[in-house]
Amino acid sequence: MSNAKIRLVGLNKLFHTRFQTIEAVRNVDMEFAAGDFVSIIGPSGCGKSTIIRMIDDLIKPTSGEIFIDGRRVSPHRRIPPEVIRKIGFIFQQPNMYPWMTVRENVMLPLRVFGLRDPEWARHADALIEMTGLREQRHAYPTELSGGSMQRAGVIRAMVHKPDILLMDEPFGALDEMTREQLNLELLDIWRATGKTIVFITHSVQEAVLLSNRVYVMGTNPGRVVDEIAVDLPRPRNLKLIVSDRFAGYCELLTGRIGQVELSQIK
Amino acid sequence: MGLTLEQRRELRRRKDRRDRIVGILAPTFTFVLLLAAWEALVVWLEIPTWQIPRPSSVFAVMFGSFGEFLPHIIRSYSTIIIAFACASVVGVALAAILTNFKALGVALTPYINMLCTTPVITLVPLLLLMFGFGQWVLILAVTLQAFPILNMNASTGFNNVETLKLELMGSLRATRVQTFRHCILPASLPNVFTGMKLSGIFATTACVSSEFSGGNRGLGARIIAYTQFMKMDKAFACIFFVAVIGLFLYTLTSYLETRVVKWKI
C-alpha cells in the first residue's frame, strides 16, 4: 500500500548504555492510512514511545525506513521542515512552558515556524475558543487544572494545521473522568478534521474506544505481536463502553497483552 | 474553586501586598533594635570610642562629613556598578556560549572555576604594578572576580533544562537560537538571578578588598586610612556605605527577579 500516510519498514532501535545494549525496538512494520485513528498498546518498555519519537525524528532509528506521504524521511538525513509541519506531537504531560501564558504556549509553534500571518493567530484563537479555554487564555499554566492544561497541549500541537497527530499517552496522568471527557473531545476533533492520529496508550478501554486499529506490542525486545481491527460503529460515545461488543474487544486485547506478559515470565 | 482567575489573582495581590509591608517593617524593627543594643552596650561597658564607636556618632559623621566621603563613595560605587554590569553580561553570555559548544565548555570551565575560587585581591597588587592606579584596572579586577560565579550558576541552569521541555523544541525543529530564547533561558532564569545576587556580593567584596591593597581612593582605602588614625566613627561610616551598595545590588536583583519571573507564584 503506497497511499499510506505513514509507513514504517523493518524499524530497529538499539540503545547503548554504559553497561549494556538494549534492543528497544526490533523489526517493526506499521502502516497508518490517511485519516486513520490507530493506537499502539503494550506494557512499559515495549518501545511504543520510541516508535513515535522515531516518526517525529526526535530519535534516529538504528536501521529501517520511515515514509511519510510516500517520501522516505529516515534514517539517512534530517527530516525536511515541510514534513515536520505535517506533524503535531502531544506529550505524556501537558508540557506547557510555565513562563508563557496559555495563549502564548498555544502560539509557540507558529512563532518557531515563523507563521506571522494574522490568519494563523485567528486560527489559534479559534482553537482556544473551541476547547473552552477563552477565559483562561491569559492565565499561566500553573493556574489551570490538569485537564485544561492537556487541552491546551492538544491544541498547541494542532495550531500549525498538521495532518498527523502523534500522541504519547496524552491523558495517562489525568483522573478517569477527565480522561473520558478528553477522549470524547478528541474523537470530535478527529471527526471534524480528519487528521491521522497515532495514539500511544496502556489503557485497553481507551484504545478500543478511540481507534480503528490497535497494534499490540511486547517487550524484550520491543516488537509488534498482534494487530487488531476494532469494528465498532461511529460516532462513538460513552454508551458504547457498556455494550457487549465493546467488552468483547477489551477482553480480546487484554488477552493478547496477557499472553505477551506470560511468555515473558516463561 | 468557585473563584474566577481575576478574583484569585486579586487575592494573591492582596496577600503579596501584606507580605511586602511585613517584609519591610520587620527587618527595620530588627535593625533599630540591634543599633539600640549596640549603643547601650558601648555606653554601659564604657568601651573607648577608638575601639568601637557608638552608632549615633557614626550616623552623625555619615551625614555631617558627607562631603568628605562623597568622592570615595562615587569612586567605589561606580567601580562596583560598572563591574557588576560587565560581569552580568559576560557571565550570562559566556554561559550561553560554553553550554552550546560543549568542547569549548570543557576546555574553559575549569579555568573559569579557578578564577572564581582564587581571591582577586591576590592579583590586584600585580595589576596595579603593571597598569597603574587607574579606575579601569579595578573595574577589570572586580569583573574578573564577579562574573565566574554567575557563569557557574547560569551554566547549571542552561545544562539542566527538563528533557521534555527540550523535546518540544526538538519536535518543532527549532533552531539553537530559538531553543535558547523560548526554552533554555526562561527555564534557567531562577539560576541566573541567584548567580546575579552572588555576583553582586562578590563585586562588593572584591572592590573593597582591591582598594585595601593600594591607592588612596575609594571606601576601602579610606577604611584603612581612618583605622590607622583611630578615627573609628569614620571607618564605620565607610563600612556602612559599603553595606548600602551591597544591599542595593541585592535588592535590585531581587526586584528584577520578581518583575521578570512573574509566572512563579
Side-chain angles (χ1 to χ4, degrees):
Chain A
M1 262 208 327
S2 58
N3 64 343
K5 190 79 186 165
I6 309 168
R7 197 151 62 91
L8 315 180
V9 183
L11 223 47
N12 289 291
K13 179 66 193 178
L14 300 175
F15 282 118
H16 302 282
T17 70
R18 202 183 328 178
F19 303 107
Q20 57 180 338
T21 298
I22 297 162
E23 199 172 4
V25 170
R26 179 192 283 178
N27 201 23
V28 163
D29 297 312
M30 286 184 180
E31 256 187 43
F32 308 94
D36 208 355
F37 198 133
V38 180
S39 290
I40 303 174
I41 194 167
S44 41
C46 72
K48 50 195 196 296
S49 282
T50 308
I51 287 178
I52 63 166
R53 276 173 173 70
M54 288 194 288
I55 298 174
D56 200 28
D57 199 39
L58 288 171
I59 298 176
K60 286 275 175 212
T62 308
S63 65
E65 293 173 318
I66 296 170
F67 297 87
I68 292 175
D69 281 332
R71 183 169 171 184
R72 190 167 78 175
V73 294
S74 208
H76 296 302
R77 55 205 164 88
R78 283 188 74 80
I79 186 164
E82 64 270 22
V83 173
I84 270 304
R85 300 236 182 122
K86 291 181 183 174
I87 301 176
F89 197 100
I90 295 155
F91 294 86
Q92 237 156 356
Q93 289 145 38
N95 204 12
M96 294 278 107
Y97 284 169
W99 49 86
M100 294 178 180
T101 64
V102 171
R103 187 167 184 270
E104 286 168 344
N105 265 291
V106 171
M107 306 255 297
L108 183 61
L110 302 181
R111 286 175 77 179
V112 173
F113 291 143
L115 303 173
R116 286 195 193 81
D117 197 291
E119 193 53 45
W120 287 104
R122 276 198 287 280
H123 175 60
D125 287 328
L127 287 171
I128 289 169
E129 187 84 34
M130 181 189 82
T131 37
L133 290 168
R134 212 180 84 84
E135 292 276 297
Q136 293 151 310
R137 68 191 185 282
H138 296 307
Y140 285 103
T142 41
E143 298 173 299
L144 265 58
S145 68
S148 297
M149 267 209 269
Q150 192 53 294
R151 279 189 186 94
V154 172
I155 59 173
R156 178 182 57 195
M158 292 172 54
V159 74
H160 55 288
K161 299 186 178 170
D163 307 337
I164 301 166
L165 289 183
L166 303 175
M167 309 184 78
D168 184 14
E169 291 188 45
F171 311 135
L174 301 174
D175 62 89
E176 197 58 40
M177 272 158 68
T178 313
R179 181 178 187 157
E180 278 180 353
Q181 180 60 38
L182 284 173
N183 278 334
L184 295 179
E185 286 174 24
L186 178 63
L187 281 176
D188 287 343
I189 290 172
W190 178 63
R191 203 170 57 227
T193 58
K195 294 191 190 303
T196 310
I197 298 183
V198 181
F199 192 96
I200 307 274
T201 180
H202 53 231
S203 155
V204 169
Q205 284 216 357
E206 198 172 52
V208 175
L209 175 67
L210 297 173
S211 3
N212 289 335
R213 213 148 41 84
V214 182
Y215 283 108
V216 181
M217 294 194 65
T219 51
N220 264 332
R223 67 205 188 282
V224 177
V225 295
D226 207 350
E227 188 188 333
I228 291 167
V230 181
D231 186 18
L232 290 170
R234 291 192 185 266
R236 295 176 186 168
N237 51 35
L238 289 183
K239 252 185 259 164
L240 186 72
I241 293 185
V242 293
S243 74
D244 287 343
R245 287 180 69 195
F246 187 89
Y249 275 114
C250 287
E251 210 169 302
L252 179 66
L253 262 179
T254 311
R256 287 303 288 134
I257 297 166
Q259 278 172 25
V260 174
E261 279 172 356
L262 272 180
S263 68
Q264 294 299 316
I265 294 163
K266 267 180 234 164
Chain B
M1 288 253 290
L3 298 172
T4 66
L5 185 69
E6 259 323 298
Q7 283 169 319
R8 258 180 289 158
R9 282 189 173 166
E10 178 53 35
L11 281 179
R12 203 168 59 229
R13 267 196 292 272
R14 247 182 259 171
K15 185 178 175 298
D16 286 352
R17 218 171 301 143
R18 261 200 318 272
D19 288 352
R20 216 170 315 143
I21 293 167
V22 174
I24 292 168
L25 284 183
T28 312
F29 181 69
T30 318
F31 184 69
V32 171
L33 209 68
L34 280 173
L35 287 185
W38 174 359
E39 182 95 26
L41 276 178
V42 172
V43 174
W44 283 339
L45 302 178
E46 292 172 359
I47 299 171
T49 50
W50 54 266
Q51 276 183 354
I52 299 175
R54 294 195 321 216
S56 55
S57 60
V58 173
F59 282 119
V61 163
M62 274 173 84
F63 293 104
S65 315
F66 189 70
E68 189 183 331
F69 297 119
L70 188 62
H72 303 288
I73 291 175
I74 291 171
R75 165 84 171 200
S76 294
Y77 281 19
S78 60
T79 304
I80 292 170
I81 289 169
I82 294 170
F84 175 69
C86 292
S88 300
V89 174
V90 173
V92 176
L94 200 65
I97 293 166
L98 295 186
T99 51
N100 258 297
F101 302 96
K102 298 288 174 201
L104 203 63
V106 173
L108 290 184
T109 303
Y111 304 103
I112 294 170
N113 292 351
M114 227 163 83
L115 207 55
C116 187
T117 51
T118 311
V120 72
I121 192 167
T122 56
L123 289 176
V124 169
L126 208 69
L127 290 174
L128 291 178
L129 196 69
M130 283 158 67
F131 302 112
F133 285 90
Q135 191 181 8
W136 70 269
V137 180
L138 286 195
I139 292 175
L140 175 72
V142 174
T143 307
L144 280 177
Q145 181 87 102
F147 90 85
I149 190 76
L150 170 56
N151 177 78
M152 284 160 88
N153 275 277
S155 297
T156 305
F158 295 165
N159 279 328
N160 288 290
V161 179
E162 251 179 282
T163 317
L164 205 61
K165 296 210 160 77
L166 289 171
E167 266 193 339
L168 175 62
M169 283 288 135
S171 81
L172 299 174
R173 213 56 83 250
T175 63
R176 273 187 182 187
V177 175
Q178 286 176 327
T179 305
F180 186 75
R181 176 165 145 39
H182 296 308
C183 180
I184 295 175
L185 182 63
S188 316
L189 279 177
N191 296 78
V192 171
F193 280 111
T194 304
M196 279 178 73
K197 284 176 195 166
L198 291 169
S199 179
I201 296 167
F202 272 58
T204 311
T205 314
C207 177
V208 175
S209 60
S210 301
E211 287 166 350
F212 279 169
S213 64
N216 52 11
R217 301 187 60 188
L219 292 167
R222 293 322 293 161
I223 291 173
I224 298 285
Y226 289 135
T227 313
Q228 276 168 353
F229 292 103
M230 292 189 196
K231 298 198 163 150
M232 295 317 282
D233 48 355
K234 289 189 173 172
F236 266 91
C238 290
I239 295 174
F240 279 23
F241 287 127
V242 173
V244 166
I245 183 70
L247 199 65
F248 169 74
L249 287 185
Y250 190 87
T251 314
L252 178 76
T253 317
S254 300
Y255 174 73
L256 278 178
E257 184 172 9
T258 57
R259 290 315 301 262
V260 177
V261 191
K262 51 181 187 287
W263 61 87
K264 277 267 163 75
I265 302 168

